[in-house]
Short mmCIF file of all heavy atoms in Angstrom, two decimals:
data_model
loop_
_atom_site.label_atom_id
_atom_site.label_comp_id
_atom_site.label_asym_id
_atom_site.label_seq_id
_atom_site.Cartn_x
_atom_site.Cartn_y
_atom_site.Cartn_z
N VAL A 167 4.32 -56.40 60.08
CA VAL A 167 4.98 -56.52 61.38
C VAL A 167 5.98 -55.38 61.58
O VAL A 167 6.11 -54.83 62.67
CB VAL A 167 5.64 -57.91 61.54
CG1 VAL A 167 6.54 -57.96 62.76
CG2 VAL A 167 4.57 -58.98 61.63
N ARG A 168 6.67 -55.00 60.51
CA ARG A 168 7.61 -53.86 60.61
C ARG A 168 6.87 -52.59 61.00
O ARG A 168 7.38 -51.77 61.77
CB ARG A 168 8.37 -53.67 59.30
CG ARG A 168 9.55 -54.61 59.16
CD ARG A 168 10.49 -54.17 58.04
NE ARG A 168 9.84 -54.03 56.75
CZ ARG A 168 9.72 -55.00 55.85
NH1 ARG A 168 10.22 -56.20 56.10
NH2 ARG A 168 9.11 -54.78 54.71
N VAL A 169 5.66 -52.41 60.47
CA VAL A 169 4.85 -51.25 60.85
C VAL A 169 4.54 -51.30 62.34
O VAL A 169 4.63 -50.29 63.04
CB VAL A 169 3.55 -51.19 60.01
CG1 VAL A 169 2.59 -50.14 60.56
CG2 VAL A 169 3.87 -50.92 58.55
N LEU A 170 4.18 -52.48 62.85
CA LEU A 170 3.85 -52.62 64.27
C LEU A 170 5.06 -52.36 65.17
O LEU A 170 4.93 -51.83 66.26
CB LEU A 170 3.30 -54.02 64.57
CG LEU A 170 1.95 -54.36 63.96
CD1 LEU A 170 1.54 -55.76 64.38
CD2 LEU A 170 0.90 -53.35 64.37
N ARG A 171 6.24 -52.75 64.71
CA ARG A 171 7.45 -52.57 65.52
C ARG A 171 7.89 -51.12 65.61
O ARG A 171 8.62 -50.76 66.52
CB ARG A 171 8.60 -53.41 64.94
CG ARG A 171 8.48 -54.86 65.19
CD ARG A 171 9.76 -55.60 64.88
NE ARG A 171 10.43 -55.11 63.68
CZ ARG A 171 10.89 -55.87 62.71
NH1 ARG A 171 10.74 -57.17 62.77
NH2 ARG A 171 11.48 -55.35 61.66
N ASP A 172 7.47 -50.30 64.69
CA ASP A 172 7.94 -48.92 64.60
C ASP A 172 6.98 -47.97 65.31
O ASP A 172 5.90 -47.67 64.80
CB ASP A 172 8.09 -48.53 63.13
CG ASP A 172 8.79 -47.20 62.94
OD1 ASP A 172 8.89 -46.42 63.91
OD2 ASP A 172 9.24 -46.96 61.80
N PRO A 173 7.36 -47.47 66.50
CA PRO A 173 6.48 -46.56 67.23
C PRO A 173 6.16 -45.27 66.46
O PRO A 173 5.11 -44.66 66.67
CB PRO A 173 7.25 -46.24 68.51
CG PRO A 173 8.27 -47.32 68.64
CD PRO A 173 8.57 -47.79 67.25
N SER A 174 7.05 -44.87 65.55
CA SER A 174 6.78 -43.65 64.79
C SER A 174 5.65 -43.85 63.78
O SER A 174 5.12 -42.88 63.24
CB SER A 174 8.05 -43.17 64.07
OG SER A 174 8.39 -44.05 63.02
N LEU A 175 5.27 -45.09 63.54
CA LEU A 175 4.17 -45.41 62.63
C LEU A 175 2.89 -45.76 63.39
O LEU A 175 2.01 -46.44 62.85
CB LEU A 175 4.56 -46.55 61.70
CG LEU A 175 5.73 -46.27 60.76
CD1 LEU A 175 6.11 -47.52 59.98
CD2 LEU A 175 5.40 -45.13 59.81
N ALA A 176 2.76 -45.28 64.61
CA ALA A 176 1.61 -45.61 65.45
C ALA A 176 0.28 -45.25 64.78
O ALA A 176 -0.72 -45.93 65.00
CB ALA A 176 1.72 -44.90 66.80
N ALA A 177 0.28 -44.24 63.94
CA ALA A 177 -0.95 -43.87 63.24
C ALA A 177 -1.42 -44.97 62.30
O ALA A 177 -2.60 -45.02 61.93
CB ALA A 177 -0.72 -42.57 62.45
N HIS A 178 -0.54 -45.88 61.94
CA HIS A 178 -0.88 -46.97 61.01
C HIS A 178 -1.06 -48.31 61.71
O HIS A 178 -1.35 -49.31 61.05
CB HIS A 178 0.21 -47.09 59.94
CG HIS A 178 0.42 -45.83 59.18
ND1 HIS A 178 -0.48 -45.36 58.26
CD2 HIS A 178 1.43 -44.92 59.23
CE1 HIS A 178 -0.04 -44.23 57.76
NE2 HIS A 178 1.12 -43.93 58.34
N HIS A 179 -0.91 -48.34 63.03
CA HIS A 179 -1.00 -49.60 63.75
C HIS A 179 -2.39 -50.23 63.65
O HIS A 179 -2.51 -51.45 63.55
CB HIS A 179 -0.59 -49.43 65.20
CG HIS A 179 0.89 -49.26 65.37
ND1 HIS A 179 1.46 -48.99 66.59
CD2 HIS A 179 1.91 -49.31 64.49
CE1 HIS A 179 2.77 -48.89 66.45
NE2 HIS A 179 3.06 -49.08 65.17
N ALA A 180 -3.43 -49.42 63.67
CA ALA A 180 -4.78 -49.98 63.57
C ALA A 180 -4.97 -50.70 62.23
O ALA A 180 -5.47 -51.82 62.19
CB ALA A 180 -5.82 -48.87 63.74
N ALA A 181 -4.55 -50.06 61.16
CA ALA A 181 -4.70 -50.67 59.83
C ALA A 181 -3.82 -51.92 59.72
O ALA A 181 -4.25 -52.93 59.14
CB ALA A 181 -4.33 -49.67 58.75
N ALA A 182 -2.63 -51.87 60.29
CA ALA A 182 -1.72 -53.02 60.22
C ALA A 182 -2.27 -54.21 61.00
O ALA A 182 -2.22 -55.34 60.53
CB ALA A 182 -0.33 -52.64 60.72
N THR A 183 -2.80 -53.96 62.20
CA THR A 183 -3.35 -55.07 62.99
C THR A 183 -4.58 -55.65 62.31
O THR A 183 -4.76 -56.87 62.30
CB THR A 183 -3.70 -54.64 64.43
OG1 THR A 183 -4.63 -53.56 64.40
CG2 THR A 183 -2.46 -54.24 65.20
N GLN A 184 -5.40 -54.81 61.72
CA GLN A 184 -6.57 -55.32 61.02
C GLN A 184 -6.16 -56.13 59.80
O GLN A 184 -6.71 -57.21 59.54
CB GLN A 184 -7.48 -54.16 60.60
CG GLN A 184 -8.79 -54.61 60.03
CD GLN A 184 -9.72 -53.45 59.75
OE1 GLN A 184 -9.27 -52.34 59.49
NE2 GLN A 184 -11.00 -53.71 59.79
#
Side-chain angles (χ1 to χ4, degrees):
V167 169
R168 279 195 304 270
V169 170
L170 293 181
R171 286 193 320 228
D172 189 343
S174 70
L175 297 175
H178 303 288
H179 287 175
T183 58
Q184 187 174 28

